[in-house]
Amino acid sequence: MASITTSHSPSLSVTLHSKLTAVSSEPTGSGKTHHELSALDRAMAQHTLHMVFYYRDQDELFGLYDLDSWRESLSTVLTMYPTMTGRLLLEQGHDGNWQVRWNDAGVRVVKGSVDGTLSDWLNSATASQEKLLASWNHMPVDPTTWSPFRIQVSNFKEGGVAIGISCSHMLADLTCLASFIKSWTLVHRNLPITNPPSFTPLPFSPPSPPPLSNGHAKLPPPQQAKDMAKATFKFSSSTMQQCLSNVHHICPNATQFDFLCALFWTRISHLKPLKNNDQTHSLSICIDLRKKLLKEPIPFGYFGNALHFTMLSLEGEDFGSVVSAVNRHLAGIEEEEIRCAIERLGSSNRCMYGEELTCVCMESLPYEAKFSDNEKPVHVSCHVGNVAGKGLIMVMPSCEEGLARTVTVMLPHEELAELIKDEAILQLDPTTLLSDI
C-alpha cells in the first residue's frame, strides 16, 4: 500500500518587516466610480480569497530590502486596475449597494521573511502556516480607508520568494487575482498584457439589492471554521494520462477535472454519514463563465466575479458513471440556468462554498506568471476563506508540464485525516504538501 509521510515543522515562522502603499503611476480621474457590485459579487460577501505564488527567484528580483525593481512595474500595472487601488463605499439611500470608488488610494503591500528555505517550506509547512504568506485585515466598520486588496512579498532563506495576494471575494474571483499577477509579470518584462482588465458589467440583469437594515451593510468578518483542515495533492502528467485512459471507454471526452472531481467526490462521500438511509449524494460545482459560450461572451479579462454554481446529485453510481455524469452535466449547462441562478442570488446571505460539498473547476487560471524569462512559479496555492462545514475541493492546473493537476481539499479535520489515507487516492501516487494533517 502506498503511503504519504508529512513532516510538519513548527520552527518555520514568518516575520513581517514593513508595510507600504503602492499607488498607480497615473491617476484614474477625480470622482470616477466603478459600477455597483453585481448580485453575484454581493453573494460572495462572506468569503475572502488568498493566492500564493512561489518562485525560486534565481535572478534575485525580490531582495528583502530593495524592492524598487518591482515597485515601478507594480505602479504601472495598477493603473490598469483601478478597482484594486480604490475603496469600498455604500451608496446612500434605503436601497444602498456596495460600489468601489476609484480614488487611487492604493494597495497595501507587506514585506516579510520566512525562517526557512523554500524547499523546507513546501515540504513541511502546514496550510495553516501558509496563511501567514497572504496576510489579511478584515473589513472594519468604516471601510473608506481600508484596502480591499493586499499584496505580501516574503523572502526565504537561501533564495526564493512567495508573492501572496488577498482580497474580499466581493470584488474579484481567483481568475482575477491570477490574471493580475500575470499582467504584473508581463509589465515587469516590458511585454504587452495578453488579457487587459474589463469592467463592463456582466451580460445578466442583476436584481435590485435588498434594503439594508438601518442603512448598514451586514458583512460578518470572514473567518475559517476552526475545525476545518486543508491539504494539497499533486498528480503527475503520466498519472493523469493513465487515469483518463481508464475511463475512456465510458467517457471518451473526460477531462482531468471530470476525473478528479469524481474521484474526490466519491471518496469524500464515503466519509460522510448518510441521513435517513438516503443514498443520494449532492455536489455543488463552481465553474468560471469566462470561457463559457454565451450569447454575450464574458471577456477573459473581466474583473469581478464570473462564476456559476450548479448542483449535481447522484445515487449509487459506479466510478466511471460518475465521471461521465460530471462531464455531461457541465456540458449541458445553458445560459438560462446561469441567468436564473444569478437572479436567485439577489437576496443571498449565506456561504457560497461548502454548505453543500463544493468542487471548483479552476482550469482557466493563468499560471504563466514569470517575472523573468526562464522562471515559472514552482507552486501556486489558492485558499477561500469561510468555507462551510461540508468542505471544498479545488481542481487546478499544475505548474508542471502536460496533463498534471493539483487538487486542494478543505474538510472537517477528522474527515481530511481519513482522506489522506484513502487507498483509491494513494494508488495514484500523489505528492502531498502544505497539509494540516
Side-chain angles (χ1 to χ4, degrees):
M1 171 176 149
S3 64
I4 294 176
T5 301
T6 58
S7 177
H8 298 162
S9 175
S11 63
L12 291 173
S13 62
V14 179
T15 302
L16 303 183
H17 298 284
S18 61
K19 180 172 66 176
L20 56 88
T21 300
V23 298
S24 54
S25 56
E26 298 179 10
T28 302
S30 178
K32 189 172 181 180
T33 302
H34 176 42
H35 63 271
E36 293 181 352
L37 299 187
S38 70
L40 184 54
D41 294 330
R42 298 194 302 271
M44 300 298 175
Q46 303 232 11
H47 301 288
T48 56
L49 295 179
H50 314 264
M51 296 188 75
V52 182
F53 288 71
Y54 293 93
Y55 296 90
R56 299 201 183 281
D57 195 27
Q58 295 171 337
D59 294 335
E60 297 183 352
L61 296 174
F62 290 89
L64 182 58
Y65 299 106
D66 181 12
L67 299 181
D68 290 340
S69 63
W70 61 265
R71 285 179 63 180
E72 181 178 351
S73 59
L74 177 58
S75 292
T76 300
V77 75
L78 285 174
T79 302
M80 309 173 202
Y81 290 83
T83 293
M84 293 186 63
T85 57
R87 295 295 181 263
L88 273 167
L89 60 86
L90 198 61
E91 287 181 316
Q92 298 298 316
H94 72 281
D95 60 348
N97 183 26
W98 287 108
Q99 60 180 210
V100 181
R101 178 74 67 182
W102 286 353
N103 61 1
D104 301 309
V107 174
R108 297 286 187 265
V109 180
V110 179
K111 295 192 294 181
S113 61
V114 181
D115 186 20
T117 67
L118 176 58
S119 295
D120 289 341
W121 182 270
L122 291 177
N123 290 330
S124 58
T126 67
S128 298
Q129 288 174 313
E130 188 185 43
K131 294 177 187 178
L132 301 175
L133 298 182
S135 63
W136 180 247
N137 284 345
H138 294 305
M139 183 190 295
V141 175
D142 178 9
T144 55
T145 60
W146 172 74
S147 177
F149 289 84
R150 290 172 68 91
I151 297 171
Q152 181 172 332
V153 181
S154 303
N155 294 82
F156 293 91
K157 284 185 174 180
E158 302 177 12
V161 66
I163 310 296
I165 181 168
S166 304
C167 74
S168 166
H169 205 334
M170 282 203 301
L171 302 183
D173 56 23
L174 288 167
T175 298
C176 295
L177 297 189
S179 294
F180 169 74
I181 295 294
K182 182 178 179 180
S183 295
W184 181 12
T185 65
L186 291 171
V187 169
H188 193 85
R189 294 159 60 207
N190 296 313
L191 297 174
I193 292 179
T194 52
N195 292 294
S198 168
F199 301 97
T200 302
L202 289 173
F204 306 105
S205 300
S208 299
L212 297 171
S213 173
N214 300 320
H216 297 290
K218 295 181 178 179
L219 292 180
Q223 296 178 342
Q224 193 61 52
K226 293 182 180 180
D227 63 339
M228 300 292 278
K230 181 179 170 186
T232 295
F233 304 81
K234 302 187 77 170
F235 298 90
S236 69
S237 181
S238 59
T239 294
M240 291 312 307
Q241 185 172 19
Q242 183 60 50
C243 290
L244 296 180
S245 297
N246 292 342
V247 297
H248 184 267
H249 63 291
I250 296 178
C251 186
N253 298 320
T255 66
Q256 296 100 305
F257 175 79
D258 298 333
F259 184 94
L260 291 170
C261 175
L263 174 65
F264 281 87
W265 181 18
T266 54
R267 303 321 300 166
I268 293 172
S269 294
H270 280 82
L271 304 176
K272 295 186 179 292
L274 297 172
K275 294 183 178 179
N276 301 322
N277 294 320
D278 184 2
Q279 299 297 314
T280 301
H281 295 281
S282 296
L283 181 72
S284 173
I285 303 178
C286 175
I287 63 170
D288 192 321
L289 295 176
R290 292 171 179 82
K291 291 193 173 182
K292 186 73 177 172
L293 296 178
L294 304 173
K295 293 179 183 177
E296 297 180 57
I298 300 173
F300 192 79
Y302 173 75
F303 200 89
N305 287 284
L307 305 174
H308 175 59
F309 291 81
T310 178
M311 290 295 301
L312 175 59
S313 297
L314 296 174
E315 180 178 347
E317 303 282 350
D318 63 83
F319 178 72
S321 297
V322 176
V323 175
S324 183
V326 172
N327 180 274
R328 289 195 311 271
H329 184 76
L330 295 182
I333 295 174
E334 297 183 352
E335 189 161 340
E336 184 59 27
E337 175 189 334
I338 298 170
R339 187 181 302 275
C340 290
I342 291 180
E343 289 178 354
R344 289 195 298 270
L345 290 174
S347 59
S348 175
N349 187 27
R350 62 185 181 89
C351 289
M352 296 298 295
Y353 300 89
E355 287 196 350
E356 293 289 346
L357 181 65
T358 306
C359 186
V360 183
C361 179
M362 302 165 67
E363 290 293 329
S364 61
L365 282 189
Y367 279 171
E368 287 289 334
K370 299 187 291 186
F371 282 97
S372 59
D373 292 341
N374 300 312
E375 188 175 4
K376 292 173 55 179
V378 294
H379 180 64
V380 178
S381 286
C382 298
H383 178 78
V384 177
N386 199 32
V387 171
K390 290 191 178 180
L392 178 66
I393 309 162
M394 295 188 286
V395 181
M396 63 198 84
S398 174
C399 295
E400 302 171 22
E401 300 292 336
L403 302 177
R405 287 296 181 270
T406 298
V407 180
T408 296
V409 180
M410 192 178 302
L411 289 172
H413 193 281
E414 65 278 6
E415 292 182 10
L416 186 62
E418 292 298 317
L419 185 71
I420 64 172
K421 299 183 292 185
D422 187 275
E423 183 65 26
I425 294 174
L426 292 180
Q427 67 182 1
L428 302 182
D429 197 25
T431 299
T432 302
L433 66 158
L434 297 166
S435 172
D436 286 322
I437 304 300

